[in-house]
């Protein structure tokens, strides 16, 4: 492309492409790279927009570690804010050691790091990356089963601003980590400890009493906690999301306390087998903004709890799962829509 046609492209077409890219939904990284190659004018125009180069996404990618190292060497990523390496199976400690050795200044401003299912990363790798990313506020370590309390020590030592921590499936994490998190992150907003099976009441109680700003707490598939824990959940005045799926020791008394979390929007009580109408009615009376509620598999609830919910949450509930609740006789879609006209989802669990 040369001469007058090239000038017209630079003057008219390139700005239009730029407007589409900047003004629309965020392009996938691969598509953004493709647009770079459209023309020299597009290349120059896109590189001049810092907002486009704040995310590196190599999730499920091959050679993800090598590609991350290469990308971080490019000037365009000097303001990087988010890195996603989720399910990058060949991403290893050696890549993090290499990145640390380079002393890449841009990583000092990194805010979000997703290492979900990067199972070749060890405690040593977590130490390396947290040292060079002191301003992280969100880190996700889902299903990194080899990580231990040492990783949490490195995180709390090197990253002072964490508000979002996902430890789902990190089965070697113990109460020691909960004590560190509670002491160092009083402003924590999101915590996911799904299937962290070594945790006990003592660890979680530290979180509940010291992290009063929690908005999201995921305790999925943790059946060993006792009523002592659930009785303290009313302390979380800012709680919006609570997943208690499989909480076999949760009773109506615990739900009376949880009902004090009046800002709750999402509550999962699937397989909370000791719950009855009394507990759900308490939730209906205390949590009047519920949009998501699962009572899946609870045999102790009846139509009475739905009647109570309909008086306070009929205009907010959009998801309600009462499958397997044989005590509820009127649970067809038609019946449920009469009580909750805004329902769009009737089945959370299959």
């Amino acid at each position: 492309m040369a001469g007058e046609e090239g000038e017209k492209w630079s003057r008219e077409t390139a700005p239009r492409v730029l407007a589409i890219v900047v003004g629309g939904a965020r392009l996938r990284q691969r598509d953004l790279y493709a647009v770079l190659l459209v023309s020299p004018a597009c290349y120059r125009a896109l590189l001049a927009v810092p907002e486009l180069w704040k995310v590196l996404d190599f999730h499920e990618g091959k050679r993800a570690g090598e590609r991350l190292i290469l990308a971080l060497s490019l000037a365009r990523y000097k303001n990087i804010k988010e890195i996603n390496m989720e399910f990058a199976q060949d991403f290893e400690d050696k890549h993090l050691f290499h990145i640390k050795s380079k002393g890449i200044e841009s990583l000092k401003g990194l805010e979000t790091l997703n290492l979900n299912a990067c199972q070749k990363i060890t405690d040593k790798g977590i130490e390396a990356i947290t040292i060079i990313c002191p301003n992280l506020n969100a880190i996700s370590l889902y299903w990194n089963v080899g990580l231990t309390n040492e990783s949490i020590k490195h995180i709390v030592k090197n990253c002072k601003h964490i508000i979002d921590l996902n430890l789902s499936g990190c089965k070697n994490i113990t109460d020691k980590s909960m004590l560190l998190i509670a002491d160092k992150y009083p402003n924590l907003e999101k915590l996911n400890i799904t299937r962290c099976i070594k945790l006990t009441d003592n660890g979680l109680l530290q979180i509940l009493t010291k992290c009063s700003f929690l908005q999201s707490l995921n305790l999925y598939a943790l059946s060993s906690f006792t009523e002592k824990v659930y009785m303290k959940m009313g302390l979380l005045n800012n709680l919006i999301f609570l997943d208690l799926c499989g909480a076999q020791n949760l009773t109506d008394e615990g739900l009376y306390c949880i009902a004090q979390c009046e800002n709750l929007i999402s509550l999962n009580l699937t397989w909370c087998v000791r719950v009855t109408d009394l507990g759900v009615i308490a939730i209906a009376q205390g949590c009047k903004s519920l949009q998501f509620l699962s009572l899946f598999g609870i045999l102790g609830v009846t139509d009475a709890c739905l009647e109570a919910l309909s008086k306070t949450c009929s205009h907010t509930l959009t998801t309600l799962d009462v499958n397997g609740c044989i005590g509820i006789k009127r649970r067809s879609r038609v019946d449920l829509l009469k009580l909750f006209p805004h329902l769009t989802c009737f089945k959370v669990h299959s």
Side-chain angles (χ1 to χ4, degrees):
M1 188 179 299
E4 185 177 334
E5 186 178 354
E7 290 180 12
K8 183 178 180 181
W9 175 273
S10 299
R11 185 176 63 255
E12 298 179 8
T13 308
R16 292 177 185 173
V17 172
L18 181 63
I20 293 172
V21 172
V22 175
R26 192 171 81 184
L27 283 181
R28 292 182 303 171
Q29 191 166 286
R30 181 171 53 187
D31 295 332
L32 186 56
Y33 289 163
V35 176
L36 276 179
L37 301 176
V38 169
S39 77
C42 276
Y43 185 90
R44 291 191 299 271
L46 292 178
L47 288 189
V49 183
E51 292 296 322
L52 297 177
W53 310 103
K54 291 187 176 183
V55 177
L56 278 169
D57 187 351
F58 295 113
H59 80 280
E60 300 181 0
K62 295 180 180 179
R63 298 175 48 248
E66 298 172 22
R67 292 163 62 197
L68 175 63
I69 291 170
L70 177 60
L72 289 173
S73 70
L74 301 175
R76 73 185 70 150
Y77 289 111
K78 64 181 180 181
N79 297 310
I80 188 73
K81 296 298 181 185
E82 177 181 345
I83 293 176
N84 184 0
M85 306 300 288
E86 185 174 58
F87 288 96
Q89 298 300 314
D90 60 354
F91 190 48
E92 305 179 34
D93 283 351
K94 65 180 182 182
H95 299 116
L96 295 177
F97 297 156
H98 181 85
I99 291 170
K100 178 176 177 288
S101 71
K102 293 295 183 181
I104 301 172
E105 284 293 312
S106 61
L107 287 176
K108 290 184 178 179
L110 191 70
E111 296 175 355
T112 301
L113 178 62
N114 186 338
L115 297 178
N116 287 345
C118 295
Q119 296 203 12
K120 293 182 180 179
I121 300 297
T122 71
D123 294 333
K124 291 292 186 182
I126 297 300
E127 179 181 24
I129 192 63
T130 55
I131 286 174
I132 56 177
C133 301
N135 288 304
L136 280 177
N137 58 47
I139 184 167
S140 190
L141 301 172
Y142 161 79
W143 211 248
N144 282 301
V145 295
L147 299 185
T148 71
N149 292 329
E150 288 301 310
S151 284
I152 305 304
K153 288 181 182 178
H154 298 316
I155 292 171
V156 300
K157 177 183 177 182
N158 299 319
C159 306
K160 309 298 185 185
H161 311 294
I162 296 292
I163 59 173
D164 185 346
L165 184 57
N166 184 354
L167 302 175
S168 174
C170 296
K171 297 184 177 183
N172 291 312
I173 298 297
T174 72
D175 288 345
K176 291 181 179 178
S177 288
M178 296 299 103
L179 295 175
L180 286 171
I181 292 167
D183 285 339
K184 299 298 183 180
Y185 299 136
N187 295 318
L188 192 67
E189 295 179 3
K190 295 182 180 180
L191 179 64
N192 187 339
I193 49 176
T194 292
R195 291 194 173 93
C196 292
I197 55 177
K198 293 185 178 181
L199 298 181
T200 72
D201 284 357
N202 291 334
L204 185 55
L205 282 171
Q206 292 295 314
I207 297 292
L208 297 178
T209 54
K210 295 180 179 179
C211 301
S212 59
F213 291 95
L214 269 178
Q215 297 177 20
S216 175
L217 181 60
N218 197 328
L219 306 178
Y220 183 97
L222 291 173
S223 60
S224 61
F225 292 132
T226 72
E227 199 77 330
K228 187 189 302 185
V229 161
Y230 306 124
M231 298 287 282
K232 291 291 185 181
M233 286 189 175
L235 296 172
L236 303 179
N237 296 325
N238 298 292
L239 201 62
I240 294 172
F241 173 98
L242 179 60
D243 193 329
L244 296 174
C245 177
Q248 296 181 11
N249 295 317
L250 174 65
T251 68
D252 292 335
E253 286 191 40
L255 281 183
Y256 296 155
C257 297
I258 292 170
Q260 297 173 33
C261 304
E262 59 183 23
N263 295 309
L264 265 183
I265 290 176
S266 178
L267 178 60
N268 187 356
L269 298 177
T270 295
W271 294 121
C272 294
V273 294
R274 299 179 66 184
V275 166
T276 74
D277 281 341
L278 294 178
V280 179
I281 290 172
I283 292 294
Q285 294 171 344
C287 308
K288 300 177 182 180
S289 300
L290 277 180
Q291 298 176 16
F292 175 109
L293 177 64
S294 177
L295 303 175
F296 181 95
I298 301 178
L299 305 183
V301 294
T302 71
D303 295 87
C305 75
L306 294 190
E307 291 290 344
L309 283 165
S310 70
K311 293 177 182 178
T312 56
C313 303
S314 64
H315 296 295
T316 58
L317 269 176
T318 57
T319 296
L320 177 63
D321 191 342
V322 292
N323 291 285
C325 301
I326 59 176
I328 297 177
K329 303 307 179 183
R330 298 189 299 276
R331 62 179 188 273
S332 70
R333 289 196 176 200
V334 172
D335 290 327
L336 293 176
L337 283 170
K338 289 179 181 177
L339 295 173
F340 310 100
H342 298 286
L343 285 181
T344 57
C345 181
F346 301 83
K347 189 173 185 180
V348 176
H349 300 271
S350 56

